[in-house]
Amino acid sequence: MDKARSNSTPGPIKSPMFKPDLPPGTASGMAAGPATEGVTSVDWDLWQSVVYEGPAAVARTSADELGRSIASGIPQAIRGVVWQVLAQSKNEELEGVYRELVARGTDKERSASNAGISAPRSESSGALGQERDSLASSASSVHSDSSTPATSGVTSSPQNEGNSVEAAAKVNTQAERVKRAEDDASALQKLEKTIRRDLGARTSYSKYVMSAGLQEGLFGVCKAYALFDGDVGYAQGMNFIAMPLLFNMPEEEAFCMLVRLMNKYGLRDLFVQDIPGLHLHFYQFERLLEDFEPALYCHLHRRGVNPQLYATQWFLTLFAYRFPLQLVLRVYDLILSEGLESAILKFGIVLMQKNAQTLLGMKDMTQLTTFLKERLFDVYIDKAPSATSLLESGFFGSTAGVDKEIYRADMLVRDACAVKVTPDTLKAYAAEWAEQQRLTHDRDAELDALRTANAALTQKVRHLEERAEKHDIEHVALASELVRTKVDNEALQDGNESLRGQVEELRKVVEGQPAEVEARLREEMERIMQRNIEVQNENRALEEGTEEMERELVATKMLYAQTNAEHDALKQRWTNILTLMSAP
């Protein structure tokens, strides 16, 4: 990529567009360029020296004359060639890269791949160009591995196993590459649709682009650069920059010029992520406005009207979104000769200067912003255009409506060139901006650290709040339990008081019980003793009766024994009698 983007000075450029023998003011039937006041002819010798010797060589001998000639307008017949010389953009190798990138994803690329013919390649294509070769080489290597006949019945060895693992890895790599190729093809189709949707939009010469048949060339340049520079890709506004190039050179050379503008002239910084170049130009523009028009700067600053609100399209499109082509080409003349920063800042400052009094009379922010976006350029509209201006406007393809306005291009360019902006001033403002960015970065880093610490503290506070909430819930539960305990205690105290009364009563009863029990016991003992005496008397009487009965029993027994003896004697006697009576 470095090789393709090298800053080497090209050799003499011989182009059919350059015709030094043409009569002054003509070139193949086309207007020789914007007519300038007081200038009736073109110094073809000077321009021939610029083309063949380079602008540096001419500037050494006639720097003021070269500056005046560029400010007066480069002749249209050789504008493309002079642009390439000023920018040193001629690069055949890069043109080959362009043709390859334009063919990316088309039938032309596929047919060339099938035929085994590769387009010219360059290191500038980088990974974009190497990817297709890697896909082809991987496919051929996998095909070679898979076509090798397998040996059946052979005992596997560590070497065979290693070959199998390697083959499987290659198959996986091929699948990944095929998938990556499919994703790239899908992304390419999406990119092409986006570019075609934006082609030729919102310029005063869009219809002329179509009538001149430049649509495909514009599409090719935008597509090729989007593939060439992956960090930038395709951004809206790129077509505005590419269109004026295509009016003056073939699309391959326009692509090289666009690459040169992006890299050498710093246009790339306006399209990369975070657009640092755009923010730098905003800062430089504000500082220059403060220098040249301090009252207007304070007026806009107090009302919050900053360049971001109205100047974004100036810098991103190089004024192409509003100016007609003949004026945009004059802007490009100064950009390629003086540099991007100086040229666009000068045009912006002179527009603000010419409208300073009108802007100072406006107090409303909306009114100011609307005027800066839509009416700021009206101060250079030519109310009574000359025949030459009308001819140039028709040649450069103005369309109907508001685009019929013809601007006093010579006056605008002359006024812009009169604004003295030195490189040292721009470098000083760039250094200020870098210092501000550093301070902002440090402040942002500090803020990030504070945000991190704040997030940690917030998390800690949230954790403490959760703990406090949990403790509050526990406190509420404990409070409720305490209330219930107090209620229960009061109930228990009431019960305790009642029991105390009962105990007191029982104590009194218990204290009176011994005397009463003693009295009762004494009465009972007396009653028992009386009863005992009575029982003893009864027992004595019973004993006496028993003794009497025992005596009577003894007497009865003695009488019974006597009776039994008398009975036995009588029985014996009768027995004897009966015996005697029975004896013969």
Side-chain angles (χ1 to χ4, degrees):
M1 182 173 294
D2 295 335
K3 184 178 180 180
R5 298 187 186 185
S6 63
N7 297 334
S8 59
T9 304
I13 299 175
K14 297 181 180 180
S15 171
M17 298 173 62
F18 177 62
K19 300 181 181 298
D21 297 330
L22 289 174
T26 60
S28 300
M30 298 187 297
T36 58
E37 298 177 3
V39 179
T40 58
S41 62
V42 177
D43 188 354
W44 290 105
D45 293 335
L46 174 66
W47 291 118
Q48 183 174 359
S49 299
V50 170
V51 170
Y52 286 106
E53 298 177 15
V58 177
R60 283 195 297 269
T61 58
S62 55
D64 295 337
E65 183 181 359
L66 176 61
R68 286 194 300 269
S69 298
I70 293 176
S72 299
I74 301 173
Q76 179 61 30
I78 60 171
R79 176 171 267 127
V81 177
V82 174
W83 280 3
Q84 293 181 65
V85 172
L86 291 175
Q88 301 178 359
S89 64
K90 187 66 177 177
N91 190 321
E92 295 182 358
E93 187 177 7
L94 194 56
E95 292 177 9
V97 173
Y98 168 77
R99 287 187 288 271
E100 178 187 354
L101 294 175
V102 170
R104 183 70 55 83
T106 63
D107 294 336
K108 181 179 179 180
E109 181 191 39
R110 286 188 287 270
S111 62
S113 176
N114 293 334
I117 302 174
S118 59
R121 304 192 57 81
S122 170
E123 294 178 2
S124 60
S125 60
L128 294 172
Q130 295 174 1
E131 184 176 356
R132 186 177 62 191
D133 289 346
S134 64
L135 288 173
S137 62
S138 63
S140 61
S141 67
V142 171
H143 176 74
S144 175
D145 292 339
S146 61
S147 61
T148 303
T151 305
S152 60
V154 179
T155 305
S156 62
S157 63
Q159 182 178 1
N160 293 332
E161 292 179 358
N163 293 337
S164 300
V165 172
E166 183 179 358
K170 289 183 178 180
V171 171
N172 293 333
T173 303
Q174 181 191 19
E176 293 176 358
R177 290 175 177 172
V178 170
K179 186 178 184 304
R180 189 185 306 116
E182 293 176 353
D183 295 339
D184 292 343
S186 176
L188 181 60
Q189 291 178 359
K190 185 178 179 180
L191 172 66
E192 291 177 347
K193 290 181 180 178
T194 303
I195 295 175
R196 290 195 181 278
R197 185 173 62 246
D198 294 338
L199 285 186
R202 303 178 299 279
T203 64
S204 60
Y205 41 87
S206 301
K207 293 183 179 180
Y208 186 64
V209 172
M210 299 177 63
S211 64
L214 299 177
Q215 286 289 94
E216 288 303 316
L218 179 59
F219 169 79
V221 172
C222 293
K223 172 187 174 182
Y225 190 83
L227 296 175
F228 179 80
D229 191 344
D231 293 336
V232 174
Y234 173 73
Q236 286 185 340
M238 194 176 293
N239 55 331
F240 292 100
I241 300 171
M243 269 188 279
L245 304 178
L246 289 169
F247 281 114
N248 294 277
M249 60 190 71
E251 57 187 86
E252 295 89 348
E253 296 177 356
F255 171 75
C256 296
M257 178 66 73
L258 179 60
V259 172
R260 197 67 168 164
L261 284 171
M262 288 288 185
N263 293 276
K264 177 183 176 181
Y265 289 85
L267 191 61
R268 187 175 184 270
D269 292 337
L270 275 66
F271 294 96
V272 294
Q273 187 177 7
D274 298 331
I275 50 176
L278 184 61
H279 293 298
L280 172 60
H281 295 337
F282 285 153
Y283 180 79
Q284 291 173 326
F285 178 77
E286 277 195 305
R287 295 289 282 112
L288 291 173
L289 184 62
E290 184 180 9
D291 293 339
F292 288 99
E293 295 291 335
L296 179 58
Y297 167 79
C298 294
H299 180 72
L300 296 177
H301 185 69
R302 289 171 182 172
R303 285 155 183 79
V305 181
N306 53 55
Q308 287 86 340
L309 297 177
Y310 58 88
T312 302
Q313 290 179 312
W314 298 0
F315 302 137
L316 289 179
T317 67
L318 307 182
F319 295 95
Y321 81 102
R322 178 63 185 265
F323 283 157
L325 181 61
Q326 73 271 26
L327 190 48
V328 173
L329 297 179
R330 301 291 295 279
V331 174
Y332 272 58
D333 291 346
L334 289 186
I335 289 175
L336 292 170
S337 61
E338 297 185 5
L340 177 68
E341 287 183 344
S342 177
I344 60 176
L345 291 174
K346 283 182 177 181
F347 279 104
I349 291 297
V350 75
L351 288 171
M352 300 297 285
Q353 286 179 326
K354 294 299 181 180
N355 292 274
Q357 295 302 320
T358 304
L359 293 169
L360 288 172
M362 299 179 181
K363 306 299 182 182
D364 183 64
M365 176 183 177
T366 304
Q367 185 182 11
L368 284 167
T369 305
T370 302
F371 184 87
L372 287 167
K373 286 182 177 179
E374 300 176 2
R375 303 292 304 280
L376 192 71
F377 307 93
D378 294 353
V379 68
Y380 281 102
I381 292 178
D382 193 351
K383 301 298 182 181
S386 63
T388 303
S389 299
L390 291 173
L391 179 62
E392 290 174 357
S393 178
F395 167 74
F396 285 112
S398 66
T399 57
V402 70
D403 297 330
K404 282 188 175 181
E405 301 290 356
I406 298 175
Y407 290 84
R408 290 175 289 184
D410 291 321
M411 181 180 294
L412 174 57
V413 175
R414 185 171 61 251
D415 293 342
C417 292
V419 177
K420 300 303 179 183
V421 179
T422 63
D424 292 337
T425 301
L426 296 179
K427 289 180 180 178
Y429 293 158
E432 291 178 7
W433 170 250
E435 179 63 17
Q436 285 191 6
Q437 290 297 102
R438 186 188 66 80
L439 294 176
T440 301
H441 181 270
D442 293 343
R443 185 171 61 254
D444 291 341
E446 183 178 359
L447 288 175
D448 290 339
L450 291 176
R451 288 191 187 98
T452 303
N454 187 35
L457 292 175
T458 301
Q459 184 68 21
K460 186 175 181 179
V461 169
R462 187 178 296 110
H463 179 65
L464 293 175
E465 287 176 348
E466 292 176 354
R467 291 181 59 184
E469 184 178 359
K470 183 179 180 181
H471 291 163
D472 289 341
I473 295 173
E474 294 177 354
H475 176 71
V476 171
L478 290 175
S480 300
E481 184 67 23
L482 181 60
V483 171
R484 287 193 298 269
T485 303
K486 287 183 178 180
V487 173
D488 294 341
N489 286 340
E490 291 178 358
L492 291 174
Q493 287 178 358
D494 293 340
N496 191 22
E497 291 295 332
S498 176
L499 292 175
R500 285 180 181 178
Q502 295 178 7
V503 168
E504 187 64 24
E505 293 178 357
L506 291 173
R507 187 180 63 78
K508 292 179 180 180
V509 171
V510 170
E511 288 177 353
Q513 282 292 328
E516 182 179 356
V517 169
E518 186 179 355
R520 291 181 180 178
L521 182 60
R522 188 179 297 109
E523 291 178 357
E524 186 67 23
M525 290 180 66
E526 290 178 354
R527 186 183 63 81
I528 292 174
M529 290 176 64
Q530 185 66 31
R531 178 63 180 165
N532 190 23
I533 294 171
E534 292 178 356
V535 170
Q536 289 179 358
N537 293 333
E538 290 179 356
N539 287 337
R540 190 178 296 109
L542 288 174
E543 287 178 356
E544 292 178 353
T546 300
E547 291 177 356
E548 182 65 28
M549 290 179 67
E550 286 179 353
R551 286 191 300 270
E552 290 180 357
L553 179 59
V554 169
T556 301
K557 286 182 177 180
M558 291 179 64
L559 183 57
Y560 177 74
Q562 185 179 357
T563 302
N564 282 335
E566 290 176 358
H567 178 274
D568 290 337
L570 183 57
K571 184 178 180 181
Q572 187 65 34
R573 189 183 294 156
W574 279 99
T575 301
N576 293 332
I577 296 172
L578 289 175
T579 302
L580 292 174
M581 289 180 64
S582 61

